[in-house]
Amino acid sequence: MESVWKAVADDSRREILMLLRKRKMTPSEMTEHFHFTAPALSSHLRILKSADLVTEEKLGKNRYYSLNEKKSLEIVNFFEKMWGYNLNSLKEYVENKERKKGT
Amino acid sequence: MESVWKAVADDSRREILMLLRKRKMTPSEMTEHFHFTAPALSSHLRILKSADLVTEEKLGKNRYYSLNEKKSLEIVNFFEKMWGYNLNSLKEYVENKERKKGT
DNA sequence: CAAACAATTAAATAATTGTTTAATTATTGT
DNA sequence: ACAATAATTAAACAATTATTTAATTGTTTG
């Protein structure tokens, strides 16, 4: 199991995640959007899969990749813990802090 | 300016961030909590500083490092964009999705 | 000013990560 | 069975990142 942090640290992999946001997709389709080669893409997908950020679905000779929304919470939770605040209110918290500085 | 993603991808650096959560701290104090050497710590702090995740404050011969809360939002925002949901409701969204699967 | 301390920078090396080309596996349609 | 297509794995190489030891900078205190 690969670290979810290492997985999202790479620019290309975040692009892939953003691309998958709209719909599940095969590697062939993805390569049309990127500059890198099929094996490079495959390598990135393996890392994302191993980090449990995407799931794979075999359909005939195609493989569809889709986002695993649940996993993103692991990262969000880190920030929750880090700030000791419920994320529900994190944004407001920061914004209020900024507003205080301003006055 | 270093990428905030690269900065948080490293285990040691996330430990440092978690440590700074409670209060500002000097590198000397931090080394008591870690296994790595002072130069290694210094290198990590430079990266965190360059990513704007921590701020530095010189006081005599000591340097105090503290968290820059605002910056974490950059990462949180990525996930907002990624899911196309407001983070306020992300957790509920995922939980509901899970509940549906269960039924 | 000299000794002691805090922290950083420099230089070298070790380890990890990413990309490429070439070869391989698996699946479908004729 | 054979050709075509989708995707992966393998092997080699390039590039980046992390860690160490040693040397250096800046600051306080006797």
Side-chain angles (χ1 to χ4, degrees), chain B:
Chain B
M1 176 70 78
E2 186 99 15
S3 155
V4 71
W5 293 100
K6 289 267 165 60
V8 298
D10 184 83
D11 295 344
S12 304
R13 286 196 286 270
R14 285 202 309 285
E15 282 183 50
I16 293 170
L17 291 175
M18 286 307 259
L19 190 61
L20 288 178
R21 184 161 68 95
K22 297 177 182 171
R23 59 177 175 84
K24 63 177 67 169
M25 219 177 257
T26 65
S28 305
E29 292 178 287
M30 292 182 210
T31 39
E32 289 167 27
H33 293 82
F34 301 123
H35 49 289
F36 45 76
T37 60
L41 175 60
S42 187
S43 159
H44 286 310
L45 286 171
R46 190 164 41 78
I47 289 165
L48 288 170
K49 197 171 61 182
S50 162
D52 207 25
L53 281 165
V54 304
T55 54
E56 193 191 46
E57 204 179 341
K58 277 184 84 167
L59 254 110
K61 66 181 170 183
N62 296 303
R63 294 187 188 198
Y64 287 89
Y65 288 92
S66 42
L67 282 181
N68 179 9
E69 293 102 349
K70 201 184 173 189
K71 194 61 179 185
S72 79
L73 285 181
E74 193 169 297
I75 291 184
V76 171
N77 280 339
F78 170 81
F79 285 95
E80 270 200 0
K81 235 186 259 171
M82 186 162 111
W83 304 124
Y85 278 88
N86 198 310
L87 256 187
N88 289 347
S89 57
L90 174 62
K91 285 177 81 171
E92 290 151 40
Y93 164 66
V94 173
E95 280 158 17
N96 283 335
K97 210 162 188 183
E98 281 302 296
R99 203 173 304 135
K100 270 180 199 161
K101 268 187 202 163
T103 10

Side-chain angles (χ1 to χ4, degrees), chain A residues 26-28 39 42 62 65:
Chain A
T26 65
S28 304
S42 186
N62 296 304
Y65 287 92

